[in-house]
Amino acid sequence: MKHFLLSAFTILISACLCAKVSVISHSETEMVIEFTTDPWKISTEGEYSRLTAENMSYSDIPGAPSVPYSEFKVGIPPAGRISCTVLSSNSINTGLDSKLIPVPEIKTINGIDNYLYQISPAAYQPQRTELITQLPATNFRGYHFVPVTLHPFVYDGNKTLTITTKATLKINISGATDFRSLEPGDKAADLLLAQLINSQQAKKWRSNVRTEINYAPFNL
């Protein structure tokens, strides 16, 4: 029960951290989607600028600039895969009064957490960041999916920020898209299914989740 609650809690947390994605068109093998960047703001915090955006995640690498990113999930058939293409995008540039605040290093001293904000020079070098990054395909309770990370904020490591405010993407799904499952759902699987942008389609692709039980032939 504890394992179930922990898994369900993790899924619910990630569900709250996804981009505003709208499906424009959909077929068995292709989707066209549009995402818009959540409301964001820049504020001054000590010697740094802080970038905050609603419903987005942040790097957890100490010393790296704290830049928001987001994620959505695409369901795939067993052994399937996806490819993503940016069809169009709108972006703006904005200047900063100071460098973006780094992710703090947390040190516990005498039972008290201390947050140390120290820039890692290597992490603040200009780096090319693609708008879309596909993570490895994975599965949860029989549902296979690909997490797709969105990087609408590109930081030059100094005082310039480029923001993609809106983009239209095409996602191609390949594999056995005609696969149909007879596996019944369960509460934990349904939590994951609700997060997939093609949940109605992916619902048909649940693979066998039964575990084979090995036993010793004691009757020999």
Side-chain angles (χ1 to χ4, degrees):
M1 177 61 73
K2 287 184 178 180
H3 178 72
F4 170 81
L5 291 175
L6 179 60
S7 299
F9 179 74
T10 301
I11 291 173
L12 286 172
I13 288 295
S14 61
C16 295
L17 301 176
C18 59
K20 293 179 180 177
V21 175
S22 301
V23 178
I24 299 174
S25 64
H26 187 283
S27 70
E28 192 74 5
T29 59
E30 181 182 291
M31 285 186 292
V32 176
I33 68 172
E34 182 179 85
F35 88 88
T36 55
T37 302
D38 287 304
W40 54 276
K41 67 177 182 179
I42 298 171
S43 56
T44 299
E45 188 166 324
E47 61 182 300
Y48 299 110
S49 295
R50 180 180 288 278
L51 169 63
T52 55
E54 296 179 6
N55 303 317
M56 298 187 77
S57 301
Y58 297 81
S59 170
D60 58 359
I61 303 175
S66 182
V67 180
Y69 68 91
S70 194
E71 180 185 290
F72 63 88
K73 300 178 179 69
V74 182
I76 55 174
R81 58 188 181 277
I82 68 170
S83 61
C84 300
T85 305
V86 179
L87 298 180
S88 65
S89 63
N90 299 328
S91 62
I92 60 174
N93 292 327
T94 186
L96 305 172
D97 293 333
S98 53
K99 289 187 176 183
L100 282 183
I101 196 167
V103 177
E105 179 183 2
I106 303 176
K107 289 189 174 182
T108 303
I109 302 175
N110 297 326
I112 300 175
D113 289 341
N114 292 268
Y115 293 79
L116 305 179
Y117 293 90
Q118 296 180 338
I119 286 177
S120 168
Y124 274 72
Q125 293 300 310
Q127 298 176 4
R128 179 178 176 81
T129 302
E130 300 295 337
L131 176 61
I132 307 173
T133 302
Q134 289 182 214
L135 301 179
T138 186
N139 73 86
F140 178 77
R141 302 183 80 86
Y143 287 120
H144 301 256
F145 62 94
V146 177
V148 179
T149 304
L150 299 170
H151 303 276
F153 299 97
V154 177
Y155 176 52
D156 73 344
N158 192 22
K159 295 182 181 181
T160 302
L161 195 65
T162 301
I163 304 107
T164 299
T165 56
K166 180 181 292 187
T168 303
L169 317 174
K170 181 173 72 173
I171 301 174
N172 290 103
I173 304 174
S174 56
T177 56
D178 58 349
F179 175 84
R180 295 295 180 266
S181 173
L182 297 177
E183 288 294 311
D186 59 64
K187 291 182 179 180
D190 289 345
L191 288 173
L192 181 279
L193 185 65
Q195 294 182 51
L196 307 181
I197 63 172
N198 57 335
S199 58
Q200 290 302 310
Q201 181 183 33
K203 187 176 183 179
K204 309 170 186 175
W205 292 336
R206 192 180 191 209
S207 59
N208 193 317
V209 295
R210 295 186 179 91
T211 303
E212 181 180 351
I213 300 175
N214 296 315
Y215 63 92
F218 293 109
N219 57 342
L220 294 181

